[in-house]
Amino acid sequence: MQQHKKIHWPNVMAPIAAVYPHIRTIHDDTVQDNYYWMIDYFKKGDKSQEVIDYLEKENAYTNSMLGDTADLQEKLFYELKSRIKEKDESVPYYKNGYYYYSRTEEGNQYFKFCRKKGTLEAEEELLLDIDRLADGHAYYTAKGFSVSPDNRLLAFSVDTVSRREYTIYIKNLETGEIYPDQIKNTEGAAIWGNDNLTLFYTAKNPVTLLSEKIMRHVLGSDPAADELVYEEKDNTNYIAVGKSKNGKYIIINSEGTLSSEVWLLDADFPQTEFRVFQPRMPDVLYSVIALEDRFLILTNDEAINFRIMQCPLDQTERSNWQIFMDHRPDVLVSDIEEFKDFLAIAERKNGLTQLAIYNLNSQQQHYLDFGEVAYTVYPAINVEYNSQKLRYGYTSLVTPSSVYEYDMADRHKVLLKQQEVLGGYDQTAYITERIFATARDGVKVPISIVYKKGTKLDGTAPLLQYAYGSYGASMDPTFSSNRLSLLDRGFIYALTHIRGGEEMGRQWYEDGKMMRKMNTFYDFVDCGKYLIENHYCTSEHLYAQGGSAGGLLMGVVANIAPEQYHGIIAQVPFVDVVNTMLDDTIPLTTNEYDEWGNPNESEAYFYMKAYSPYENIDVKKYPNLLVTTGLHDSQVQYFEPAKWVAKLRATKTGDTILLLKTDMDYGHGGASGRFDYLKEIALEYAFLFKLEGMIPDHAQQ
């Protein structure tokens, strides 16, 4: 068995966080929380500066402990960056007489949003220069580009803080003028009525950041006087507003984990009232697709893996729904891309994605074939309703991201663009596998694996195990040019498709949430055990990584299987589950009750307390840990990982390393530029390489 080289860690004292006991009593259960005070920066309390001082001390400590990797981090950053084609252009998409695309320029962090009229040979119109707009901002995100039906006006939204609170702007594309109508504190999307004057958008609660209201804005009016057209009373639901692809309807979607509701308005008459499509029903999710002569409804009503129903345009109540495509217990219907004469239906079967093409005229259906054991396929940008050509994306662990155009009538496909990996990339130099591990309750859990040819599968290679496992979000096998820096240095990468995602169907998600959440954590540990037993690695060379809810996974794994992992990377980890879910002033808390449970209810409280990483820190040896967070994170607040690290440091035994890195400028998604985020990846990789003894000897003197 390969042993680690002796690793040198500087003799630097780790920060010790102050203790200010806080007592929580609920359900006759009393808990002392010594680090509750770290919420103060978020709450603007009297200890706010002490929070900042502590985070900066932890950053300084992390920099000291990884100081001998500084050269390696710089090398890795340029290595990662060198694979990215700096001067590049997206595949143009056609909408309403124009081709739209974005392009990047060498040396610039952001992009330009452009269009050409009628043909790709036409003169370019530069609609937005994000490189220029972002100048002077530590963080800058622009999204929600929405052109008015007459092609004259562009609505777009900007976040400069990284808390996903967007301000909507409107630009006159003929004059270049930015209108004074600046609509603040929104979700970002702006939807045009067909009068080219009316905009609909989702307003956020400035404290909880919940999406609570759909507002109507008329150009030239004061946003403070915008009209409320819909208010969500259920604080466990998310809401959004959009437009049907055929342009006929403005659509409001309200959806929680368990039920949903849709409201419609005729886009030609945007000043009229919305009408409910079908009032929400307990434990029934549904979404609506508008065709020329009917609505299609994708729903789990009496169909756990969803089925497709249909109804007349003027009779939308559930009593009028008829079966269009019935439920299949082994196939999850996840999405529908509609066209005038075709449907592209995204499905999941045996843990893999597939695309079915349905001809609305002939009522015939066929599937696309992809020819790899593990891959990801999905509808790409398809904004033109009157088209028989489907754009879809395709990738795998070894196939770079690709965009194809498929003629659904003559069944011919064309590769429009494949991600170019600069410096040369030989797909045949890497091997991908798909295996199944048996979890402790007998369930087979898929694992997608990739490694470079020549890597020994005798337990001596280091292996990075990754998963997410929440919200029904499926972690499908995709290509990453950054991952090559691991594979080329002998790492194996294992993507574990644990319960809590939807890879194996809706039941896969149901079995990994609420009062069955432990399945998520046990699946991950059991997959790691399987990888060891089958000689992909040993515990001395096994590493784990996950972010956000996947960071919760990392925290639980560190508690329940510390001996199985040599190191863990927890990115923006959701690790203080009970306290966060008890505080409904924290952004998104109430939206999450259907995922984790409501701890104001005794059974849910004690269940989540039994796994919450912060609640279950024990006096024992933990794996080496690198924890990352962002001061402005709106999804998982900075104080969760900060408290977790402070308590771990005060409790754990042994000589393993515990590092906390807080980005003081960014939030949940990290840096906004297309290169800055690579610095965090370089830090994470350097952490792994140091634990493997792969730092050059001269750097450890």
Side-chain angles (χ1 to χ4, degrees), residues 132-143:
R132 183 182 63 80
L133 294 173
D135 189 43
H137 293 280
Y139 180 92
Y140 193 94
T141 294
K143 72 168 194 175

Side-chain angles (χ1 to χ4, degrees), residues 297-309:
I297 307 104
L298 178 60
T299 181
N300 66 346
D301 186 16
E302 300 181 2
I304 188 170
N305 274 336
F306 290 78
R307 59 179 173 174
I308 305 174
M309 309 294 281

Side-chain angles (χ1 to χ4, degrees), residues 122-135:
E123 182 180 356
E124 177 182 273
E125 285 184 63
L126 176 58
L127 305 184
L128 285 178
D129 187 342
I130 309 302
D131 289 305
R132 183 182 63 80
L133 294 173
D135 189 43

Side-chain angles (χ1 to χ4, degrees), residues 136-153:
H137 293 280
Y139 180 92
Y140 193 94
T141 294
K143 72 168 194 175
F145 307 134
S146 178
V147 177
S148 59
D150 64 4
N151 295 316
R152 294 178 53 253
L153 304 172

Side-chain angles (χ1 to χ4, degrees), residues 177-459:
E177 176 190 3
I178 301 288
Y179 288 170
D181 315 47
Q182 296 183 11
I183 308 170
K184 298 181 178 180
N185 201 29
T186 79
E187 286 282 0
I191 307 302
W192 290 97
N194 290 344
D195 62 353
N196 303 293
L197 291 172
T198 307
L199 282 168
F200 297 89
Y201 63 92
T202 308
K204 303 184 80 164
N205 182 305
V207 177
T208 65
L209 301 188
L210 295 177
S211 52
E212 293 180 337
K213 300 175 180 178
I214 305 296
M215 308 296 292
R216 175 161 41 209
H217 175 76
V218 177
L219 287 187
S221 65
D222 183 355
D226 285 353
E227 181 184 1
L228 173 68
V229 297
Y230 178 85
E231 183 171 9
E232 181 53 61
K233 301 297 186 181
D234 184 346
N235 62 7
T236 67
N237 273 30
Y238 290 95
I239 61 173
V241 61
K243 196 173 190 179
S244 61
K245 189 189 290 189
N246 64 11
K248 293 184 177 181
Y249 300 96
I250 308 294
I251 301 176
I252 294 173
N253 284 288
S254 173
E255 183 170 323
T257 305
L258 301 177
S259 69
S260 59
E261 186 173 76
V262 172
W263 292 70
L264 299 175
L265 178 147
D266 188 328
D268 287 337
F269 303 97
Q271 295 301 318
T272 57
E273 298 299 312
F274 281 84
R275 64 178 178 89
V276 67
F277 187 90
Q278 160 61 42
R280 64 193 66 187
M281 302 169 279
D283 301 322
V284 173
L285 296 168
Y286 77 91
S287 57
V288 172
I289 300 96
L291 300 182
E292 294 298 293
D293 58 348
R294 67 192 123 162
F295 289 112
L296 297 182
I297 307 104
L298 178 60
T299 181
N300 66 346
D301 186 16
E302 300 181 2
I304 188 170
N305 274 336
F306 290 78
R307 59 179 173 174
I308 305 174
M309 309 294 281
Q310 60 184 343
C311 70
L313 295 175
D314 58 350
Q315 296 175 302
T316 61
E317 298 80 7
R318 182 191 190 189
S319 58
N320 296 299
W321 296 3
Q322 301 293 323
I323 294 174
F324 177 83
M325 191 172 291
D326 210 351
H327 176 255
R328 290 161 291 168
D330 61 336
V331 177
L332 171 69
V333 182
S334 57
D335 193 17
I336 301 172
E337 192 73 61
E338 75 273 26
F339 300 87
K340 186 174 184 296
D341 296 316
F342 294 91
L343 301 175
I345 305 169
E347 301 177 347
R348 289 186 171 276
K349 185 175 183 180
N350 295 326
L352 290 175
T353 49
Q354 55 189 23
L355 285 178
I357 307 302
Y358 184 90
N359 188 314
L360 287 164
N361 298 316
S362 69
Q363 301 180 24
Q364 298 297 307
Q365 178 173 288
H366 67 277
Y367 285 88
L368 278 67
D369 180 51
F370 307 108
E372 286 193 80
V373 294
Y375 62 87
T376 301
V377 65
Y378 52 91
I381 299 176
N382 292 280
V383 295
E384 188 63 35
Y385 181 67
N386 296 303
S387 176
Q388 66 181 34
K389 294 182 177 179
L390 167 73
R391 293 272 181 90
Y392 70 88
Y394 180 84
T395 181
S396 75
L397 291 172
V398 296
T399 304
S401 296
S402 309
V403 178
Y404 286 88
E405 187 169 79
Y406 180 72
D407 192 308
M408 294 178 285
D410 68 15
R411 305 191 183 189
H412 177 70
K413 71 178 179 182
V414 176
L415 176 63
L416 300 179
K417 182 181 177 67
Q418 185 171 81
Q419 174 189 353
E420 186 176 344
V421 183
L422 299 187
Y425 169 66
D426 179 8
Q427 182 172 333
T428 64
Y430 301 87
I431 296 173
T432 182
E433 299 179 8
R434 183 174 169 81
I435 60 176
F436 287 82
T438 303
R440 61 194 66 191
D441 61 356
V443 170
K444 301 290 186 182
V445 182
I447 308 175
S448 299
I449 294 177
V450 63
Y451 53 88
K452 192 168 186 177
K453 281 183 179 176
T455 301
K456 294 181 179 179
L457 303 183
D458 60 2

Side-chain angles (χ1 to χ4, degrees), residues 30-43:
T30 298
V31 174
Q32 178 173 307
D33 184 350
N34 288 338
Y35 306 103
Y36 185 85
W37 63 272
M38 290 189 182
I39 199 173
D40 263 32
Y41 183 78
F42 170 73
K43 300 281 190 179

Side-chain angles (χ1 to χ4, degrees), residues 32 106 112-113 142 144 157 269 366 396 465 477 557:
Q32 178 173 307
E106 192 165 347
K112 286 105 170 64
F113 181 54
S157 59
F269 303 97
H366 67 277
S396 75
Q465 181 186 351
V557 167

